[in-house]
Amino acid sequence: MIVGTVREIKNNEFRVGLTPEAAQELVAAGHDVLVEAGAGQGIGAGDEAYAKAGARIIPTAAEVFATADMIVKVKEPQAGERAMLREGQVLFTYLHLAPDPDQAHDLITSGAVCIAYETVTDASGGLPLLKPMSQVAGRMAIQAGATALEKANGGRGVLLGGVPGVLPGKVAIIGGGVVGFNAAQMAAGLGADVTILDRSAEVLERLGVHFEARAKTRFSNRANLAACVAEADLVIGAVLIPGAEAPKLVSREMLSTMKPGAVLVDVAIDQGGCFETSKPTTHAEPTYVVDGIVHYCVANMPGAVARTSTYALGNVTLPHVLKLAGLGWREALKRDKHLLAGLNVAHGKVTCAPVAEALELPFTDPADVLG
Ligand SMILES: NC(=O)C1=CN([C@@H]2O[C@H](COP(=O)(O)OP(=O)(O)OC[C@H]3O[C@@H](n4cnc5c(N)ncnc54)[C@H](O)[C@@H]3O)[C@@H](O)[C@H]2O)C=CC1
Ligand SMILES: CC(=O)C(=O)O
Ligand SMILES: [Mg+2]
């Protein structure tokens, strides 16, 4: 198969879909690998590293899109990229379609076969291709929040860890999955006063056993959420209902109960965000203020630590890339129901139930498009 990767063009996105090491594995398996010139620059991988791995360097993204049977990317295709997709071409990348009707429309009309990293599952009910980026984003959420809390950045001037004689800052983390766990680790490590809210008893128990006295856990209902948000210096939004648009858990009204200069970091923004006042921002301009509360809503947080993130992502995507390239998408998805769960759009049909529901589009069972 001809497998292509292109330079990411989303604002301040420096990750890349294939590392030189991944290209080498694909070439060793007998595939032809096309890499847009400069695609690996953001992780310090020059064209010569890809050429040495056996890949062909192609001057433009347009040529890669025109030739490759499968495009492996990181972020959802931007409008110009969507226009280059072809009927039957495989696209393997993050899509986050539920809050993005324009992208969904373009993918449907392209006729391409679009497999989303974030809805691929595993035997234990996890999301293995989302997990490494959630680990990165969870850890980064505390760094980002701590910076936003600085007075010069619009924050209330609180040091999360406090100092001897002065209490630490309060961090409320809504959602105790991968993002929430990693955020809690960082916040507890700094010495902050951490509370994690979740509505899964199993998740709360696991967190309680792990963190013991270093973090509190609290069931996520309206009353507890309102109390934690009102008290917090920093709130991290880390909920997920796989494939679906994030529930809006913090209303604009609740902002008036918060301390002026407190910070909201909405990691769940790629699924539409879990605060009513969230709107996607970029690394170039990551924050804005609503009613005196600083909002950080960067939809591609891991892009800022591109080297760590690219290798962490590549470790989990490569086995699937090899499978798709070796067997073709139909056979690969027939043999692997967890990869099949990643199929969001194929030949003009929406094959992911939560996406179809969120966008009010007809749903087609993915098994029906496998032939
Ligand atoms: N902005 C960015 O750059 C990135 C964003 N993300 C996003 O972060 C979000 C979280 O991802 P993960 O931690 O991997 O998901 P996860 O599935 O591991 O955890 C989500 C948690 O939310 C909980 N939850 C669901 N509804 C809730 C509610 N009403 N109240 C409290 N908890 C609730 C679930 O029980 C679960 O424990 C996703 O939207 C993901 O796409 C992930 C990586 C990067
Ligand atoms: C998961 C995701 O959206 C990202 O890594 O950018
Ligand atoms: Mg994202």
Side-chain angles (χ1 to χ4, degrees):
M1 184 183 272
I2 305 177
V3 182
T5 199
V6 289
R7 190 173 59 80
E8 293 292 324
I9 56 173
K10 189 167 175 140
N11 184 294
N12 278 278
E13 180 54 71
F14 298 105
R15 286 172 287 179
V16 62
L18 293 173
T19 60
E21 292 84 348
Q24 189 179 7
E25 296 295 327
L26 281 161
V27 169
H31 304 295
D32 199 2
V33 178
L34 310 183
V35 177
E36 182 189 352
Q41 223 161 30
I43 62 158
D47 293 345
E48 61 292 346
Y50 286 96
K52 200 169 158 213
R56 280 196 283 144
I57 308 304
I58 306 294
T60 65
E63 290 163 272
V64 177
F65 273 92
T67 317
D69 302 309
M70 172 163 68
I71 301 284
V72 180
K73 270 176 55 61
V74 178
K75 289 314 295 180
E76 70 280 359
Q78 306 298 293
E81 296 174 317
R82 298 190 310 251
M84 295 190 278
L85 285 168
R86 288 179 283 114
E87 174 83 33
Q89 188 171 41
V90 177
L91 172 68
F92 193 38
T93 191
Y94 286 117
L95 292 176
H96 303 295
L97 283 177
D100 195 349
D102 292 345
Q103 188 199 166
H105 170 268
D106 291 352
L107 296 187
I108 290 166
T109 51
S110 74
V113 174
C114 306
I115 307 169
Y117 293 159
E118 73 274 7
T119 60
V120 173
T121 52
D122 65 19
S124 58
L127 301 169
L129 306 195
L130 182 61
K131 188 173 184 178
M133 296 305 93
S134 291
Q135 290 169 330
V136 170
R139 289 169 188 223
M140 281 183 73
I142 300 303
Q143 288 179 200
T147 304
L149 273 169
E150 290 175 16
K151 203 70 196 161
N153 297 326
R156 63 191 304 264
V158 166
L159 183 66
L160 285 180
V163 286
V166 181
L167 289 175
K170 288 194 173 182
V171 180
I173 300 172
I174 311 174
V178 181
V179 168
F181 175 85
N182 281 274
Q185 271 194 317
M186 295 296 278
L190 286 175
D193 179 345
V194 183
T195 302
I196 314 165
L197 297 111
D198 205 291
R199 48 173 204 181
S200 156
E202 198 184 322
V203 168
L204 291 170
E205 185 174 343
R206 207 166 44 231
L207 293 167
V209 169
H210 177 85
F211 285 103
E212 296 182 329
R214 289 178 299 126
K216 289 162 263 188
T217 59
R218 210 158 168 191
F219 184 70
S220 175
N221 58 25
R222 281 184 175 75
N224 288 346
L225 267 174
C228 287
V229 166
E231 279 180 5
D233 298 293
L234 171 59
V235 181
I236 309 292
V239 300
L240 176 65
I241 297 160
E245 193 159 6
K248 299 281 177 273
L249 299 176
V250 175
S251 65
R252 179 158 193 170
E253 218 179 357
M254 286 162 78
L255 300 191
S256 63
T257 68
M258 296 180 71
K259 303 171 189 169
V263 173
L264 299 178
V265 173
D266 200 346
V267 185
I269 189 65
D270 54 1
Q271 295 293 140
C274 60
F275 310 135
E276 187 187 350
T277 43
S278 293
K279 56 173 198 244
T281 59
T282 64
H283 287 293
E285 225 172 299
T287 59
Y288 61 93
V289 177
V290 179
D291 298 343
I293 305 303
V294 183
H295 291 56
Y296 174 104
C297 303
V298 176
N300 60 331
M301 295 173 71
V305 287
R307 275 190 68 83
T308 304
S309 299
T310 295
Y311 280 95
L313 181 60
N315 289 345
V316 291
T317 55
L318 181 64
H320 295 293
V321 173
L322 284 165
K323 222 178 317 176
L324 288 163
L327 297 170
W329 71 272
R330 279 201 169 85
E331 193 55 33
L333 298 193
K334 270 184 201 166
R335 291 191 196 185
D336 184 346
K337 66 175 184 194
H338 295 298
L339 188 54
L340 180 61
L343 191 66
N344 277 219
V345 176
H347 291 295
K349 297 190 162 67
V350 178
T351 52
C352 177
V355 168
E357 192 183 322
L359 297 175
E360 296 177 5
L361 290 167
F363 167 66
T364 301
D365 191 314
D368 292 349
V369 297
L370 295 184

